[in-house]
Amino acid sequence: MKKIFSRLICMIACLLFYQLTQAQNPPVTVEGNIRDAQKQPLIGVTISIKGKNTGTQSDANGHFKLKVKDAPNAVLVFTYVGFTSYEEPLKGRAIVSVILEEDRKKLEEIVVVGYGAQKKKDVTGAISSVGTKAIQDVPVTNPQQALQGRAPGVEVINNSSKPGDEPQVRIRGSRSLSAGNDPLYVVDGIPYAGNLSDIGTGVIQSMDILKDASATAIYGSRGANGVVLITTQRGKVGKPVISYSGSYGVVKQLGETDMMNASKYIEMRREANRTGGKYDDNDQDGSDKKIFNATEYANIKKGTDVDWQSLMLSPGYQNNHALSIAGGTEKTKYTVGFGYFKDQGVLKLQSYERYNINIGLDQQIGDRVRVGASLLGSYSLRNGETYNGIDNALKMLPIAAPYDDKGNLITFPTGDSQQPNPLLDYVNNNRVELMKRFRIFASLFAEVEIMDGLKYRLNVGPDIQNYNYGLFQGKNNTNLLIGGGDATASKGNAQTLAYTVENVVTYNKTFKKHTIGATGLYSVQRQNVDISTTNVRGIPVETQQYYNLGQALNVTGVTSSLSSWTILSYMGRLNYGYDDRYLLTLTMRADGSSRFAPGKKWGYFPSIAAAWNMTSESWLKDNHILDNLKLRASYGRIGNTGINPYATQGVLTRIPYSFSNKGALGFVPGDLRNPNLTWETTTSADIGVDFGLFNGRVTGVVEWYNQRTTDLLMPLLLPYSNGFNQVLANLGTSRNRGWEVGLGGTVIDNPKGFSWKMDLNYFRNRSEILSIGGGRTEDIGNGWFVGQPTYVYYDYKKIGIWQDGDAALAAKYKAKPGEIRLEDENNDGVIDAKDRQILGSPQPKWSAGTTQRFSYKGWELSIVAFARMGSTIKSDFYQNYNTLFGRYNNLNIDYNTSKNPTNDFPRPNVNQERPNNYQSLAYFDGSFFKIRNINLAYAFPDAWVKNMHMADLRVNVGVKQPLILAPYRQTWKGVDPEDVNVIGIDAPATWMLQFGINAKF
Amino acid sequence: MATAEKSLKENVMKYTIPIILLLAMAATSCNKMLDEKVVTNVTDEFYNTKAGFQTAVTGSYVSMRVFYSTERGMTLTETGTDIYTNGSDGDFKFTSQYSSQLDSRYAHTREVWNSFYQTINTCNVVVDRAAKIADLDDATRTKGVAEAKFCRAHYHFILMEMFGAIPLRLNENAAIVTESHRDSVSAIYDAVIADLLAAEKDLPNTQSEWGRATKPAAEHLLARVYLTRASSPQAKPTDYADAAKYADMVIKNYSFQLLDDPGKVWAQGNENNAETVFAAQYTTDPLYGYADNNACRFFLMQYDVLKGMKRDLPNGTPWKRFRPTKFLIDTLYKDRTYDTRYEKFYTRTWFTNAPIDNLKAGDTAVYLPGYDVTDAQIAAKPYMLVPPRLYTEKLYPSLNKFADALRPDNQASGVRPFIVFRLAETYLIKAEALMMTGDKQGAADAVSVVRMRAARPGANLAETQANRDAMKVGPADMTIDFILDERGRELVGEQLRWFDLTRTKKLVERVQLHNEQARANIRHTHMLRPIPQDQIDRSSTPFPQNPGY
């Protein structure tokens, strides 16, 4: 590596001397105005002199002034995002005014790539971009949500509706079994770890998703799961613009979970006792008195019928405000923004609140030096991160009364000590849980243009994170009421300090038809995490909450840890273009990671990509239909570091023991050293076609890829008799293959009247485990099977309910009528572990998303929708609330009885805690189609706005999640089929009606 | 032109040099930055220090907690015997019933296997590294090695009793090894006895920290091991004599003595009593507690749903897992005139703690008299009267040896030490060994010591003596079945029964006779537990399963 850099420096020096020998003419000042086709001034257009490095930008009135040396021969180049670049030979004039044409082909559009930016037409890799407009179309609480349904190959699945939760993002599927499948996030050039929620979504200008080996290989050991580049807002030339945007939304649950009401519950409990032989239908009242306790019986007589869910839920809201000031001169550009966001969930104890500040600064020093900074600061408060109050409410009997005659909460409304009143969590601070997070993330840079085309850039990115977590559970908290016990509290603190330092040298030069771009990088990234937690029991006075742990009766646990890692990297990239027709990109990255053993620390990740701009060929140049056709192919290797620090170190496990009732410290050998651990390596091939038709009216991309991940990090399970359970090793292989299609088009185009634009994306990915090492074809404990996706459901399969008529056959299977009938998969007459089978996978057969945008004069209607088809999902609801023995309330399902021979759900039975094989009830078709958002916006007419002394004013109204079509919802009365692998019970799924305003001054 | 040139030159000077410096710095400093230093955790180099050595010695004990006083240890040793069967709850009824689920995937056997072998590797660290640790004084070294050998022998022995021929691990392993094989039973006996003899030689008579291995603890275990080998195919002619010899050393050489009241032996807070030879340690300090100590719950019937009762800390959490067989209650504890053990060891009366209707706090709420009563008598009582014919899986006399009211709350796991070896068993080992060598008088004398202690105290000395005499047994009583019955009466619940029955080859016979739930299923196969499937699957060399599984 050292050699390469010394050569590079040699080259730089030679070029410098070449430059010094060039002669130049005396300068002239040129000025003029720049407008668009509608005669509106264009602000911030870059005006440069062809072949020279000097240039300027147009001001707020579209005016520019520029000193030009050698004026007679100079050519001015006008470039502006979204417009066709335009060249005007000066021919000695001092005033030049131009009109720029909008570029619908967008080939001049700048795409952010790793360590730099490229024009879209020069890109050789597979990159999807999501711009400001799309990000602001949908009310989102974190950046990941803005990607949902927007880009082919990018799958975003919400984990829950809990305020503050972040969704799962997968780019081209999952490949790793145990080393993680999350993409790498890079914010303003600096790798970003941890909660993306810390970034206010209003701060984001664009997100670019790197998908293939060519695009991601420059991130080497961390690129295997794809890379998401996030660019934040920067100031623009012009007078200060003050922008305000605000919105308020009412949040409500998408629908209550369909539980039994009093009469259905009472009948189910009777049926459960009937099955158990404890209900005499000839003496109903007498039997009721036996099977219901006195309280329950009295409530039934009173006609008590309580909907506990509705008692627990109340409408939440989302409140969002952002204020920013941006502006700048040619030399200095700035933006300063403040944000406030609050998401109050429908469960009172769950909320998320965030304060944001962002500062962006760019300063030109002289002709050749540029420095700048962006700073993102956030402070957030999250309540009820682990709270799950809806669980007790769903289980609570509808025949139980929440309040006594005096209006006080009844602690155990049914007398059952396992069923405390869920409303108790809401009163007297019985449960307090607060996570306070503070973060400053900065990206600072200095860039020097050493000579034309040669730049050196230094990026420094410090990142400081801090959290302070407290959980207090009073004696009358439902958790403690169930177990019995004294008030508990815990407190946790963590500090993360990280920094990235990057040295980037770039060189760009055009010689006749040859374009060369070279990038060299040396970087260091380091992170240090320091965590501590304390748990106590027996808080003397409950108002102390978690603020005075020292006065508690017992300390039940204390932990702390320090963990740090370093990555050192060298990267080189060479872009070569010939005549705008042939493009070639070569990259090589070398990463050194502290996590691996000496001798195994360095990994090398090369890639190659080529592209052919077919429309630049003479034989296509003159056609009037096709205005862009580019063929791309790439091949390369990328890695996944994916192991925790210290995995190669032979760490001892502390197991406590005691002598004479006094604690004693015991250490046993816990982790075995594996000095051969290395990266998971993904070898990826990608072929893509970009095309544009009818002067950019239709654009699209089609891609095929094949990724093979080898050296999968997996536990190698050892015979325990040698003292160890397992050791992490590089064992398996997996594959991801898929297709992606993206289409964008303007269906109706009438800038003054009605227009209709749409974006569509469709993709399918097949992940498959090819081997898991050791000659095994399955690892049942981990649920890994060769030939299957990386995550599958392996369980017994329910094929119905044993009916009364089948009693004899049922008995052979040791089952009784009314119980779940499982498939005897191997037909051996016994249901045992061998009858478990693969029931499905959360991986969809295909996914698709669309954005439809209709506009008419100032009105714009946008609809964002997406679909995931052919996945299987597991629902905790159908497992936890289907106990069918009468102790708890139940989902309102169609259960089997002697008189109702349904095959859907088993017969209630008082002699069980759950139906036998209840797990088999939880699997569903996870397919769904969702309209994520419908938004209607109105922009006030310019004249009216001007009268109000404003630059822009828009109002909008939106509905989030207005429609879900899914078998799980429509057929099985579930609420929301969208969840990561298992539909969990934490916060009810919600929809929202939101009103917003955007103003610029 | 000149100025342009100058500024360019300046630029070159200004920026190129720092870049070169930076790059040079980068190239030299890189490899150091990638060194990984463990701060939070401890790596195995720690064992090479005195402090590390001592944590390894303590680490040698930790599996005692995995086995004793836990669901796995108790299910494996108490249920599916002639004296205990399953209650209404729990996932492991198949252990008690010997049904087909008792196979190689059985979690308890796997957990014991895994934990013991991890800890045996810790014992091996102590034994192998002791000589190489520079700052270790000889006394600490010798005692530490002896303790580790005691623990290693203990684990190997239990594993062998459960699984038969097992891998014998006598050296530290720190490498990735996928081979494994079964060693011969005789080699295991030899190694266990060698370890115990070495431990016995070096261990002190007492330890300042209660719970550490001592010389009498090693002797007690030696006696048990010899007794076990004596009745095995690997028997040596001297084994019974050796068993009696080491038992006698425990009885005679120290100050152990039986407590006057058998009910006090397991009284909470009194575990470290004159009768205790060795105990697995638990603590009231939650920072050093262990979550699996649930002995206080398994034997307890479901009192808390009965009229006038609610769940509270002194009564405990009724998990109703283990239920006494009719044979234990009706036959072994038939004598309740002279023998007080049934009433001492069993809770039969519950007192109202949730007053309702006519039941006031402290009134009897539930009473299990232990003899039959008529329906009319039952109807006449204000409380719930339950004769044996009405016992169910949720309603039965409950063993109270492990009751644990010092837990911080009813949710918390147990804080009580578990008595692993006690003098009463030493006497019974001695008795069995003497009887097998033909010394029936000696055997009867040893058994009588234990029995007479359990005699009901009389109103006066004479009555007491009469009761004690009534408990006395003679040479004619000495059969292996009597010894087993006596061990059942005295040691019920103490994690010995299944081993007693397999040692004496009485498991199948007695279970078929006395355990209704297991009668139909038990086979000779069940004299050994199935080898955990993981061990077989993960071993790169063939690792045969025990026959019949």
Side-chain angles (χ1 to χ4, degrees), chain A residues 88-107:
Chain A
E88 177 89 11
L90 256 190
K91 296 174 183 162
R93 289 175 296 170
I95 296 176
V96 179
S97 289
V98 296
I99 288 174
L100 292 185
E101 303 242 351
E102 202 176 336
D103 176 23
R104 286 208 306 239
K105 291 178 276 188
K106 295 182 178 157
L107 296 178

Side-chain angles (χ1 to χ4, degrees), chain A residues 918-960:
Chain A
Y918 64 95
Q919 298 97 327
S920 64
L921 297 174
Y923 299 98
F924 295 93
D925 179 353
S927 303
F928 65 82
F929 167 81
K930 254 189 189 188
I931 294 189
R932 281 200 59 206
N933 200 62
I934 299 179
N935 194 54
L936 180 67
Y938 176 69
F940 287 86
D942 285 356
W944 193 88
V945 168
K946 266 185 190 141
N947 269 339
M948 303 291 290
H949 303 287
M950 294 167 87
D952 192 20
L953 179 65
R954 288 159 198 270
V955 290
N956 63 72
V957 55
V959 196
K960 184 188 148 196

Side-chain angles (χ1 to χ4, degrees), chain A residues 357-371:
Chain A
I357 177 166
N358 67 295
I359 298 170
L361 200 61
D362 295 273
Q363 176 69 47
Q364 183 86 30
I365 305 171
D367 284 345
R368 291 178 177 272
V369 181
R370 217 156 61 84
V371 295

Side-chain angles (χ1 to χ4, degrees), chain A residues 368-369 483 522 537 562 568 601 646 649 652 656-658 660-661 663 667 669 673 718 720-722 725 833, chain B residues 15 26 30 34 36 40 42 44 47 55 65 105 114 118 122 173 177 179 210 281 283-284 408 411 535 538:
Chain A
R368 291 178 177 272
V369 181
Y522 163 68
R537 179 172 44 216
L562 176 72
L568 280 184
K601 287 185 186 292
Y646 318 117
Q649 296 271 12
L652 304 184
Y657 199 70
S658 57
S660 306
N661 198 29
F667 277 108
R673 282 169 208 267
L718 301 168
Y720 226 127
S721 62
N722 296 324
N725 181 26
Chain B
Y15 302 112
C30 63
L34 294 181
E36 193 174 50
T40 305
V42 176
D44 64 357
Y47 284 145
T55 64
R65 284 186 175 181
R105 290 169 297 173
N114 292 356
Q118 183 179 43
T122 317
N173 174 42
V177 181
E179 292 91 24
W210 178 53
Q281 296 295 307
T283 168
T284 48
Q411 190 80 335
Q535 176 71 24
R538 297 170 176 197

Side-chain angles (χ1 to χ4, degrees), chain B residues 89-268:
Chain B
D89 285 10
D91 294 331
F92 298 97
K93 290 181 193 171
F94 58 81
T95 321
S96 184
Q97 299 175 353
Y98 298 96
S99 63
S100 61
Q101 272 175 286
L102 177 57
D103 64 14
S104 59
R105 290 169 297 173
Y106 177 23
H108 286 158
T109 50
R110 182 177 65 239
E111 288 157 9
V112 170
W113 180 281
N114 292 356
S115 169
F116 278 16
Y117 275 112
Q118 183 179 43
T119 315
I120 286 171
N121 202 30
T122 317
C123 300
N124 292 338
V125 166
V126 175
V127 175
D128 286 3
R129 297 202 191 190
K132 296 171 215 151
I133 301 166
D135 62 342
L136 202 57
D137 58 277
D138 282 343
T140 310
R141 189 195 321 269
T142 308
K143 188 167 79 80
V145 170
E147 286 181 49
K149 284 186 172 172
F150 168 84
C151 293
R152 184 168 76 180
H154 196 144
Y155 302 134
H156 272 134
F157 179 58
I158 290 175
L159 287 169
M160 187 192 64
E161 285 182 290
M162 285 170 58
F163 301 103
I166 49 147
L168 187 61
R169 306 296 302 172
L170 298 171
N171 289 105
E172 182 191 352
N173 174 42
I176 301 171
V177 181
T178 57
E179 292 91 24
S180 66
H181 66 272
R182 302 181 69 161
D183 285 290
S184 73
V185 173
S186 61
I188 299 158
Y189 272 117
D190 290 346
V192 166
I193 289 170
D195 270 350
L196 288 174
L197 289 171
E200 195 264 349
K201 181 168 76 68
D202 289 334
L203 283 171
N205 289 359
T206 58
Q207 293 254 27
S208 59
E209 289 183 308
W210 178 53
R212 288 193 182 273
T214 58
K215 191 189 277 286
E219 287 164 355
H220 182 104
L221 184 54
L222 260 175
R224 219 194 245 177
V225 173
Y226 279 123
L227 185 70
T228 308
R229 185 168 75 176
S231 58
S232 76
Q234 290 74 26
K236 301 249 161 85
T238 51
D239 280 347
Y240 280 121
D242 281 332
K245 179 179 96 182
Y246 281 102
D248 213 37
M249 285 162 74
V250 177
I251 293 166
K252 299 216 172 98
N253 294 355
Y254 311 93
S255 53
F256 298 115
Q257 60 185 87
L258 295 185
L259 303 189
D260 291 340
D261 177 357
K264 287 276 155 50
V265 174
W266 283 92
Q268 186 160 26

